[in-house]
Amino acid sequence: YAFSAETAKGSFTHIVVYTKSSLVEQTTPAAVALADSVASASSVAFTDKDLDSAQIGGDTTWTLAADETHVSNYYIYLATDTAGAGKSGGGNVNSGVSVYAFSAETAKGSFTHIVVYTKSSLVEQTTPAAVALADSVASASSVAFADKDLDSAQIGGDTTWTLGSR
């Protein structure tokens, strides 16, 4: 018998199996204690290295699940809250890997968090680890150049600019 994914454990502590003939059911079952596997990423971090407004890019890192026995992959998404609502984009990496790179110029949209889920061969976990998404923006302004090379088709001189806040 296969229990479907996300079957509520409730207060049950064992799985018992009885044999039954056409006459009677066995009185003493075989039993195994339930072991509820828990495996989550933690300490998710992200530093935006794409300095354009409304775009992100850079590495997302996390601490691997303490026990990866049943973890096959980590799935990384952009989401609208810490619980993974509206999750989209991102990708996945194999167990044992704790970094995922978002490509430069990834649209931030209305996303506010990056979430990391573990996945077994059966199902993706329902509660992710998360980090708030901060969009780093930096730009130059007031760019100036004075050509001090007096030859035609040649330039030389200092360029100045004002660095915007980050």
Side-chain angles (χ1 to χ4, degrees):
Y1 178 82
F3 287 93
S4 60
E6 299 174 6
T7 298
K9 179 180 172 258
S11 60
F12 297 104
T13 61
H14 288 76
I15 295 174
V16 293
V17 178
Y18 291 86
T19 58
K20 181 179 178 182
S21 70
S22 59
L23 180 62
V24 68
E25 182 176 271
Q26 168 187 13
T27 56
T28 305
V32 64
L34 282 176
D36 189 6
S37 297
V38 177
S40 282
S42 60
S43 303
V44 181
F46 175 75
T47 300
D48 184 18
K49 297 200 181 227
D50 182 314
L51 301 179
D52 293 326
S53 178
Q55 295 179 348
I56 64 162
D59 290 344
T60 301
T61 60
W62 57 90
T63 300
L64 298 172
D67 180 0
E68 284 193 303
T69 302
H70 299 293
V71 176
S72 61
N73 298 86
Y74 290 87
Y75 279 75
I76 303 88
Y77 302 100
L78 297 171
T80 57
D81 67 16
T82 59
K87 68 183 181 181
S88 181
N92 69 83
V93 296
N94 291 332
S95 62
V97 178
S98 60
V99 63
Y100 175 81
F102 278 95
S103 300
E105 301 179 357
T106 297
K108 181 181 177 289
S110 61
F111 299 115
T112 58
H113 290 79
I114 294 175
V115 292
V116 179
Y117 292 83
T118 53
K119 183 178 183 301
S120 70
S121 61
L122 182 63
V123 68
E124 182 178 279
Q125 78 179 134
T126 56
T127 305
V131 65
L133 188 55
D135 185 11
S136 296
V137 178
S139 61
S141 62
S142 303
V143 178
F145 173 73
D147 183 16
K148 294 182 181 178
D149 182 308
L150 302 178
D151 293 318
S152 175
Q154 296 178 356
I155 64 169
D158 294 331
T159 303
T160 62
W161 63 88
T162 302
L163 180 60
S165 62
R166 262 185 106 174

